[in-house]
Amino acid sequence: MKLMGEQTAKFHFNPTSKTKDTLFMKGVIYSNTLKDIKEVLDENPQVTTLVMQEVPGSIDDEINLLASREIRKRNINTYIPKDGMVASGGTDMFLAGALRNAHKSAKIGVHSWSDGEKGGNEYPKDDSSHKKYLDYYKEMDIPTDFYWYTLDAADADNIHNMTKEEIKKYNILK
């Protein structure tokens, strides 16, 4: 899956809205995303929902997990709109929502991670490389089985868009 060259994540409000309780996000999660999201949320504490329009992944997994935890800490809901999509690290961030919802046409994509040499599913289940993701999913009330499923759903260069049945099985919406 190629993310290099794609637009980095930007946050904005709907200019026609009278309130600033809904924040919109579009682009790839990158090294400044934690700083960016903290700044916009500090300046707008009334935000209750993050609408993830098109978030195809992350190029900085550590920052992604920290930014995602910031969303959960602030009790912000996540939503994927009509024809919206999240994938890879974007899916991880979506899971941080206190409440998570998506339009029926939205896409939620998953795949295995890779360290550049091997995919996550090539490491033994007891390998320490899995810990940060298992801990994260546990914090987000996502079944551990979801993590193992993502590793086998598609390799690191591809994306599997979850079916309605898979979304329900793994408690993705709540």
Side-chain angles (χ1 to χ4, degrees):
M1 185 174 116
K2 285 215 183 283
L3 293 177
M4 302 305 279
E6 292 199 36
Q7 175 190 336
T8 55
K10 302 286 186 235
F11 298 94
H12 69 275
F13 292 97
N14 181 340
T16 62
S17 178
K18 290 181 172 58
T19 64
K20 286 189 169 184
D21 60 350
T22 302
L23 179 65
F24 292 81
M25 177 183 187
K26 185 174 185 178
V28 175
I29 299 158
Y30 73 117
S31 58
N32 278 354
T33 298
L34 176 61
K35 179 181 131 320
D36 294 347
I37 199 163
K38 278 184 166 183
E39 190 174 285
V40 74
L41 293 176
D42 286 346
E43 291 173 6
N44 299 281
Q46 71 279 16
V47 170
T48 59
T49 303
L50 176 63
V51 176
M52 302 178 76
Q53 296 173 298
E54 186 177 335
V55 186
S58 68
I59 54 174
D60 189 327
D61 290 340
E62 299 303 321
I63 290 295
N64 182 34
L65 295 181
L66 291 171
S68 297
R69 286 181 170 106
E70 189 70 23
I71 291 166
R72 177 57 68 95
K73 181 175 94 177
R74 295 180 190 236
N75 205 35
I76 293 172
N77 303 320
T78 52
Y79 178 72
I80 310 167
K82 181 178 181 179
D83 301 322
M85 66 81 69
V86 297
S88 187
T91 298
D92 291 337
M93 183 172 278
F94 173 74
L95 295 174
L99 296 176
R100 303 179 294 265
N101 207 345
H103 187 275
K104 65 183 179 180
S105 70
K107 291 183 174 36
I108 301 173
V110 297
H111 68 147
S112 179
W113 55 266
S114 172
D115 62 10
E117 293 183 27
K118 295 195 309 189
N121 62 350
E122 295 178 75
Y123 286 91
K125 283 193 170 189
D126 62 354
D127 191 273
S128 63
S129 61
H130 300 295
K131 185 175 176 8
K132 71 180 175 183
Y133 298 106
L134 290 169
D135 289 349
Y136 175 75
Y137 291 136
K138 184 176 181 182
E139 285 175 51
M140 301 304 139
D141 301 318
I142 297 295
T144 303
D145 288 352
F146 174 73
Y147 173 70
W148 304 116
Y149 149 79
T150 67
L151 296 183
D152 291 327
D155 64 35
D157 293 327
N158 292 298
I159 287 290
H160 167 73
N161 288 315
M162 296 179 73
T163 65
K164 288 177 182 19
E165 294 77 20
E166 291 166 337
I167 289 168
K168 184 174 182 175
K169 177 179 180 178
Y170 295 110
N171 200 29
I172 302 302
L173 304 180
K174 72 170 192 171

